[in-house]
Amino acid sequence: MANYKGERNRQFPSKISTTSFVKLYILHLLREKSYYGNEIIDEIKYKLENKWEPSPGMVYPLLRELEKEGYIVGWWEEPDKRSIRRYKLTDKGYEHYKVISRMYKPVFEDSLFIVQTVLKEIYGVNS
């Protein structure tokens, strides 16, 4: 498990917020192709087998933030209508993605360990 400097870790199960998770997942998805906001929500929902999906109220502000930081670039499919804004990852965004994905990996591993251990201990379920 990750080293928390000998401090008691009272947060369960990890130290990654939902917002940070969704930001990482958005950057991950944009590595392969461009998406618009609702497509990102649908893709996350699909990949997580309909067990969870981020809200538009989380995704759209994150897209604006990521674009402002230069991690993604957006454009209107039909500039006159301004109805669908597509996004793609920039080189700067890819570098940022690599940094945060390495940073969060031990946190995800800790979370997985905790959940698997509880499932096994309480319910006799193996992963």
Side-chain angles (χ1 to χ4, degrees):
M1 292 178 86
N3 182 357
Y4 296 109
K5 300 177 189 164
E7 298 172 6
R8 178 181 259 168
N9 184 7
R10 296 176 189 256
Q11 192 173 17
F12 180 84
S14 69
K15 292 187 176 223
I16 185 169
S17 69
T18 304
T19 303
S20 297
F21 166 74
V22 172
K23 186 185 291 189
L24 174 64
Y25 216 149
I26 288 171
L27 294 173
H28 175 76
L29 292 174
L30 291 174
R31 289 175 319 124
E32 298 298 322
K33 68 177 198 174
S34 69
Y35 285 91
Y36 59 88
N38 280 337
E39 273 184 319
I40 289 170
I41 294 168
D42 291 344
E43 187 69 9
I44 292 172
K45 183 178 178 182
Y46 170 77
K47 287 185 179 277
L48 298 179
E49 298 179 353
N50 297 317
K51 295 182 185 342
W52 183 81
E53 66 184 278
S55 70
M58 175 180 285
V59 169
Y60 284 99
L62 282 174
L63 289 169
R64 286 190 294 275
E65 176 187 324
L66 290 166
E67 186 172 19
K68 183 180 175 187
E69 292 170 352
Y71 297 141
I72 63 175
V73 63
W75 68 94
W76 295 104
E77 274 191 1
E78 298 178 50
D80 295 339
K81 293 184 181 180
R82 294 177 59 110
S83 59
I84 295 178
R85 188 163 181 83
R86 298 194 76 82
Y87 297 91
K88 71 176 184 175
L89 194 63
T90 64
D91 291 341
K92 180 180 176 183
Y94 181 66
E95 292 305 312
H96 181 66
Y97 165 76
K98 290 191 306 188
V99 168
I100 64 173
S101 66
R102 281 192 306 266
M103 182 175 72
Y104 291 147
K105 186 173 188 247
V107 176
F108 284 126
E109 289 169 340
D110 286 355
S111 298
L112 182 60
F113 173 82
I114 291 166
V115 171
Q116 286 177 328
T117 300
V118 169
L119 282 172
K120 184 178 178 186
E121 292 273 328
I122 295 175
Y123 303 106
V125 176
N126 291 321
S127 53

